[in-house]
Amino acid sequence: MTATKMPNIDPFTLDIVKDNLLAIGDEMFYTLARTSMSPIIYEVLDYASGLTDAKGQLLTQGNGVTGFIGLLTFMVKEAIEKFGKKGDLKPGDIIIINDPYNGGGSHLSDVGLLMPIFYEGELVAFSANKAHWTEVGGKDPGSWTTDSTEIYQEGLQFPCVKLFEEGKLNQALVEVIAANVRFPDLSLGDMWAQVAALKTGDRRFRELCDKYGKDVVLAANERLLDNGEQITRKELAQLPKGVFEAVDYIDDDGLGNGPFKVQVKVTITDDNFICDFTGSHPQVLGPVNTAYPAMITAVRTIFLAITNPSQDVNDGIFRPLKVIVERGSIFAAERPAAVSTYWETMAYATDLIWKALAPVVPHRLTAGHLLSVCAVVVSGMHPDTNEPFLIVEPSVGGWGAGQGKDGENGQFCIGDGETFNVPVEVCETRYGVMVDEYSFRADGAGAGEYRGGSGVIRTYRALTDNQAVTATFGRHKYLPWGFNGGKDGSNNLFEIVKANGEKDGPFGKYARYPLNKDDTVRLITATGGGYGDPLKRPAEKVAMDLKNGFITVEQARDDYGVIINPETFEIEGYTAARNNN
């Protein structure tokens, strides 16, 4: 980049350019959603889009899933490393990448596309996005599973190669994709939606340069990054200083191995926020391994939540953040480790820091939540069209209670962020299932002065024979944690109820469980951890919890010390434990 930084750009212009950049990111985001073919994108919003500068530094990003924060940077820097130094990046190039261990960062289903933006012959920025394709091939429908043992079983790998070269489509690569995925119309449709979003970013950025001048825009970019750092350092100064540690256990790897110990030591100084995961378990055989880029984005998510959750994301924000991790560990797995359900471990990188710091920043962090994406794949034949269908979606659950607030009911985990379920109406129309139940779990777990939010129960009933369900529900054995006297929440699980009434399960992970007509799969998610002594919860709130069905009469008495009439919901007295509290 030849432009020099302009030290005296006026703040009004800076704000205008900054807002334009954010608007470009938003327009790219909506373009992708409105032109995609798959419900996992246009309904669930399992994608991200944004802009970086010519060095790969993130300028703006819109995303449905927080698990993609920062992954666009890794993609762009991989492309710069491969093509940029040789001058092989040209106007009209579009690069495709999903290699988990380097620029791709997550798993093969999350396919990244990026486009260099040129202005007056100079590389000035990149337009980039990353989206979950319904299919990228591999041994299992949906391209993720719980029993893969190496990356080669999990689908097509795109090792940072050109999909377009100077505007010309690589038709051979498109034909390879079409021949190797089970639903080529969906996958290629989503690919073209990503291309449309990239071109939107490219066009809008160049229009911004036309309007304000290239040098002003590039200088404003630098100011934007510096401003992000300044705001973060101001917030960092207000955090308690010291060393904070946490330990937890990942249930298993999907193949029966486990549990796996993971740990973190967080050091907060005046200048840095250091997260050291040294000592966590080595990479494992099953597909719960997380690659380094995905682990970084997990740390960035919780760092942002602790410092300034309302801050617009750019790379300047993360300059004080330092991460230490051992290569070859479960948090930084190396080829050819299986990673198709990487999110199960990635979430622990977030949660460990959360658990370590919740007691010292309770105004920002709550008790533990469902944590797992609780993802499910259901495949089979549609009863009306006799064509194959594929459901791929996450599940909602309970969040932990916090200082002055009950936990949220039925929300996605922190790694999913601002995503959605596939609506029941869409599900029943497009797929060969009926949704028999979608309700709060209301198991009364997570008792506290502020109670944990309720998980949910979602039940699919198969409408044809020879269907199959694959699901991965982490925190099946190790519960969402309560703190400051609050009780732990409940676990995630799923079970099969056969047409004859026979039950099988509960399971935390299972690959390709066969379903025949009228068999059901019940997806049951965790209730979050509680905050504070349950005996200090106001009796009126306990009575209302009972009336609303979140707790039982027995739980009101045993956990909260309140004796309530089950018919009138009137408070009739208190236990000795509550009276003595």
Side-chain angles (χ1 to χ4, degrees):
M1 190 168 68
T2 59
T4 58
K5 185 175 178 180
M6 295 175 61
N8 296 317
I9 182 171
D10 70 88
F12 299 103
T13 301
L14 171 63
D15 278 346
I16 291 169
V17 173
K18 180 196 74 173
D19 290 345
N20 271 271
L21 289 170
L22 297 175
I24 293 171
D26 288 343
E27 186 175 359
M28 292 171 63
F29 186 83
Y30 292 119
T31 299
L32 207 167
R34 290 171 179 169
T35 55
S36 68
M37 295 289 290
S38 301
I40 191 70
I41 294 177
Y42 66 73
E43 293 285 0
V44 176
L45 306 184
D46 192 352
Y47 69 98
S49 61
L51 297 169
T52 79
D53 68 7
K55 300 175 184 177
Q57 298 180 101
L58 186 67
L59 298 174
T60 179
Q61 178 169 328
N63 49 281
V65 290
T66 58
F68 286 167
I69 292 174
L71 285 184
L72 301 184
T73 298
F74 283 95
M75 288 166 39
V76 174
K77 289 185 176 180
E78 177 77 4
I80 292 171
E81 178 69 23
K82 184 171 183 178
F83 297 107
K85 292 183 178 179
K86 301 176 182 178
D88 289 339
L89 289 174
K90 306 291 184 183
D93 286 354
I94 293 180
I95 292 165
I96 185 170
I97 181 171
N98 71 346
D99 172 16
Y101 314 103
N102 296 303
S106 50
H107 64 169
L108 298 179
S109 299
D110 295 332
V111 179
L113 267 63
L114 61 98
M115 183 178 192
I117 300 173
F118 287 83
Y119 189 79
E120 296 177 347
E122 180 182 344
L123 177 62
V124 291
F126 285 87
S127 177
N129 56 44
K130 189 175 186 67
H132 184 117
W133 287 13
T134 299
E135 259 281 331
V136 288
K139 74 181 187 67
D140 286 75
S143 305
W144 64 259
T145 184
T146 65
D147 65 352
S148 55
T149 58
E150 58 181 4
I151 191 70
Y152 309 108
Q153 300 169 356
E154 297 177 348
L156 284 169
Q157 299 181 60
F158 305 119
C160 195
V161 295
K162 289 188 178 183
L163 177 65
F164 283 79
E165 188 157 6
E166 296 186 75
K168 182 178 180 181
L169 176 66
N170 184 342
Q171 185 62 37
L173 178 56
V174 173
E175 291 178 10
V176 168
I177 295 171
N180 281 277
V181 302
R182 295 171 178 84
F183 298 87
D185 289 345
L186 294 181
S187 297
L188 293 179
D190 294 338
M191 180 193 78
W192 284 112
Q194 289 179 261
V195 170
L198 292 182
K199 291 184 176 181
T200 297
D202 171 65
R203 182 173 64 255
R204 296 300 188 214
F205 194 93
R206 288 186 287 106
E207 288 174 355
L208 194 62
C209 292
D210 287 338
K211 186 172 184 179
Y212 295 100
K214 178 189 65 176
D215 290 341
V216 170
V217 172
L218 297 185
N221 292 347
E222 292 297 320
R223 287 282 297 274
L224 179 65
L225 294 169
D226 292 343
N227 188 53
E229 180 182 4
Q230 291 167 8
I231 292 173
T232 300
R233 291 197 181 280
K234 183 177 179 180
E235 294 291 335
L236 184 62
Q238 300 177 40
L239 295 179
K241 307 303 184 289
V243 178
F244 312 94
E245 300 185 52
V247 174
D248 212 329
Y249 294 86
I250 297 170
D251 296 339
D252 57 69
D253 66 348
L255 299 172
N257 305 307
F260 309 116
K261 181 182 178 182
V262 289
Q263 60 191 49
V264 72
K265 180 171 69 175
V266 181
T267 304
I268 303 177
T269 70
D270 291 333
D271 299 316
N272 295 115
F273 188 103
I274 306 167
C275 302
D276 185 352
F277 294 90
T278 300
S280 294
H281 199 280
Q283 65 188 56
V284 298
L285 182 62
V288 300
N289 299 290
T290 290
Y292 177 77
M295 190 274 297
I296 294 297
T297 198
V299 175
R300 286 182 168 189
T301 299
I302 194 67
F303 176 73
L304 191 63
I306 292 166
T307 53
N308 188 3
S310 63
Q311 174 78 353
D312 295 320
V313 175
N314 63 63
D315 263 4
I317 292 170
F318 304 114
R319 287 172 180 169
L321 177 62
K322 313 295 181 186
V323 180
I324 301 169
V325 63
E326 296 168 301
R327 294 289 184 164
S329 72
I330 199 169
F331 284 131
E334 297 185 324
R335 183 178 294 277
V339 295
S340 73
T341 56
Y342 76 100
W343 59 80
E344 294 290 10
T345 296
M346 180 186 75
Y348 273 83
T350 299
D351 202 58
L352 282 167
I353 299 168
W354 188 338
K355 187 175 183 180
L357 295 181
V360 295
V361 286
H363 64 293
R364 285 279 167 83
L365 299 176
T366 64
H369 74 319
L370 76 154
L371 186 66
S372 175
V373 171
C374 294
V376 60
V377 172
V378 183
S379 60
M381 302 297 290
H382 196 288
D384 298 328
T385 64
N386 202 33
E387 293 182 351
F389 74 86
L390 187 67
I391 300 172
V392 182
E393 70 171 339
S395 305
V396 298
W399 276 60
Q403 189 178 74
K405 65 182 289 295
D406 290 340
E408 287 78 12
N409 305 310
Q411 298 294 314
F412 284 106
C413 73
I414 191 171
D416 267 329
E418 300 295 329
T419 51
F420 299 89
N421 273 131
V422 175
V424 171
E425 297 83 358
V426 173
C427 181
E428 293 182 339
T429 301
R430 294 197 57 165
Y431 309 130
V433 300
M434 289 290 288
V435 181
D436 285 351
E437 178 184 9
Y438 197 15
S439 65
F440 287 128
R441 183 178 185 178
D443 59 1
E449 181 179 2
Y450 300 97
R451 64 170 177 81
S454 178
V456 303
I457 302 172
R458 187 175 174 101
T459 300
Y460 294 122
R461 176 162 52 92
L463 298 182
T464 56
D465 290 337
N466 302 313
Q467 295 189 16
V469 58
T470 294
T472 173
F473 278 45
R475 280 237 182 275
H476 176 60
K477 300 174 184 175
Y478 297 91
L479 304 178
W481 41 272
F483 81 102
N484 197 31
K487 294 189 176 182
D488 290 345
S490 53
N491 65 334
N492 298 302
L493 62 107
F494 64 97
E495 60 185 14
I496 309 298
V497 182
K498 304 290 183 64
N500 62 7
E502 176 187 345
K503 285 188 178 182
D504 198 7
F507 304 110
K509 298 179 179 70
Y510 203 106
R512 301 174 303 282
Y513 193 105
L515 299 175
N516 289 316
K517 186 176 181 180
D518 289 328
D519 290 347
T520 61
V521 54
R522 299 183 75 234
L523 310 171
I524 304 169
T525 59
T527 292
Y531 176 92
D533 184 351
L535 297 175
K536 292 183 179 178
R537 185 168 179 81
E540 295 76 14
K541 287 189 175 182
V542 177
M544 186 59 68
D545 291 340
L546 175 63
K547 187 174 183 179
N548 288 333
F550 286 112
I551 63 173
T552 65
V553 171
E554 293 75 20
Q555 288 168 336
R557 180 192 65 226
D558 297 341
D559 290 336
Y560 296 97
V562 183
I563 301 169
I564 303 174
N565 186 305
E567 296 180 358
T568 65
F569 303 109
E570 293 181 352
I571 299 169
E572 296 183 337
Y574 305 97
T575 65
R578 188 176 180 98
N579 284 329
N580 295 330
N581 187 54

